[in-house]
Amino acid sequence: MSRLKILALLPLAVALSGCNYVVLAPAGDIAAQQRDLVIMSTVLMLLIVVPVMALTVLFAWRYRQSNTDARYEPEWDHSTSLELVIWSAPLLIIVCLGALTWMGTHLLDPYRNIGRISAERSVDQSKVPLVVDVVALDWKWLFIYPDYGIATVNELAAPVDRPINFHITASSVMNSFYIPALAGQIYAMPGMETSLHAVINHAGTYKGFSANYSGAGFSGMHFNFHGLDDKGFDAWIASAKSGGGSLGRAEYLQLEKPSQNEPVRRYGTVDSDLYRLILNMCVETGKMCQSEMMAIDAKGGLGHEGLNNTLPLAYDKYARRGTALGPEPSFVAGTCTPDAPQGKSTASITAPLDTAPLLGAGLKRPTFTPLKSSSFFLGQRPKSDS
């Protein structure tokens, strides 16, 4: 067999050997509706594809050169009946596909709360949805259960017939959270949160993984998703609480470091604010959160109008980390204006870190005088030209 033939048969061999048809036989209602949408769309398209392929073979055989019985009309150029068939049939298919796409886009929106458990049952309003915070790490998955105060690595569980609300983010690069038996894949991106609402209808253990390549350890980013009855889920939660450690800021920063093929790990207690800090990329003490940055921007930014906003924040005051402004901690304590005589500075620019305790001892904070100019400096006092 030639090399080209082997390469051509590889996708078929992989599909036949590795496919377990979980996408066509899911255990979750959302995935089942997505399966139905795929099947209906495929059937509608085959209504055009199959006749066209069959007619292509028929015409090639009927009007072959050796068939002298076939009609020969070299001057033929138009048929109203054929034009109606050729254009109306695809148009009807497109209309049907458009309607399916419109309904599926809204009914299967991952951000939309699910309205049913299955085709026969609606959501039981007495059951509180299970909230799971999902963090894609390099190269492992962290799952936080805020209502239960536990967390797990590379293991996920949920009770059968109970709605699940996933909040999804990432620590560094983009990944894709995917449990084929539950619902479609949803991207996990650093500094951003995506959502997925789903439900599992049958007990069992299902595979979950990352469907987006993210580096050397990507192939090991898989986990087991356990669909359990209520008693089984309560037992799983109790096992995690009794046998797990503690997950705080320091532990998370160690866990966040890249590692491959991590085993299942459980944490019996977890910092209640950890997911918010991960989402805002400020787990490290003293680092400004994205939410704080946005709040500053909303108040005028870090220009002249927003100078006062920098004083209460610890970022770049206690942990500058050797940026271009220098390693010495400091904060804005004054402004200068270009209207001053050449070579003269009109205000002190920075205050050393050791003055911070004095502020709490009764000394007044530095104040800012409104200036016509919006110029200001951070860091050391500029040297005079004189």
Side-chain angles (χ1 to χ4, degrees), residues 32-204:
Q33 293 183 68
Q34 293 172 338
R35 172 206 58 196
D36 295 342
L37 183 61
V38 170
I39 292 175
M40 287 187 289
S41 300
T42 302
V43 170
L44 284 172
M45 290 184 285
L46 287 177
L47 291 177
I48 293 295
V49 173
V50 171
V52 168
M53 295 178 68
L55 288 172
T56 300
V57 175
L58 176 63
F59 288 172
W61 171 257
R62 180 174 177 80
Y63 297 103
R64 67 192 186 279
Q65 185 177 5
S66 61
N67 185 11
T68 57
D69 295 333
R71 293 171 58 185
Y72 179 64
E73 298 179 13
E75 302 299 326
W76 180 88
D77 64 349
H78 179 73
S79 171
T80 302
S81 300
L82 279 176
E83 291 287 345
L84 288 175
V85 173
I86 291 171
W87 289 104
S88 61
L91 180 61
L92 290 174
I93 299 300
I94 291 173
V95 170
C96 294
L97 285 174
L100 283 175
T101 302
W102 175 266
M103 292 186 295
T105 300
H106 290 82
L107 294 177
L108 299 177
D109 182 357
Y111 286 79
R112 181 177 181 267
N113 291 325
I114 60 174
R116 72 184 202 185
I117 298 298
S118 65
E120 299 81 19
R121 292 178 295 169
S122 59
V123 172
D124 185 357
Q125 300 298 331
S126 63
K127 287 189 175 182
V128 179
L130 174 67
V131 178
V132 182
D133 298 328
V134 181
V135 183
L137 304 172
D138 293 333
W139 288 275
K140 47 197 170 283
W141 292 96
L142 172 64
F143 303 104
I144 301 174
Y145 291 76
D147 296 335
Y148 296 92
I150 68 166
T152 61
V153 173
N154 288 340
E155 185 181 44
L156 179 64
V160 172
D161 294 340
R162 179 177 174 183
I164 313 170
N165 297 348
F166 292 103
H167 303 149
I168 307 168
T169 189
S171 63
S172 57
V173 300
M174 183 172 71
N175 269 285
S176 180
F177 176 70
Y178 188 29
I179 305 174
L182 182 69
Q185 62 171 321
I186 303 296
Y187 283 112
M189 295 166 283
M192 302 176 65
E193 180 181 88
T194 51
S195 296
L196 174 63
H197 294 81
V199 62
I200 193 72
N201 299 116
H202 304 286

Side-chain angles (χ1 to χ4, degrees), residues 18 26 259 305 386:
S259 60
E305 295 82 359
S386 58

Side-chain angles (χ1 to χ4, degrees), residues 328-347:
E328 293 299 326
S330 61
F331 57 86
V332 177
T335 60
C336 63
T337 172
D339 296 332
Q342 185 174 4
K344 301 294 184 180
S345 176
T346 61

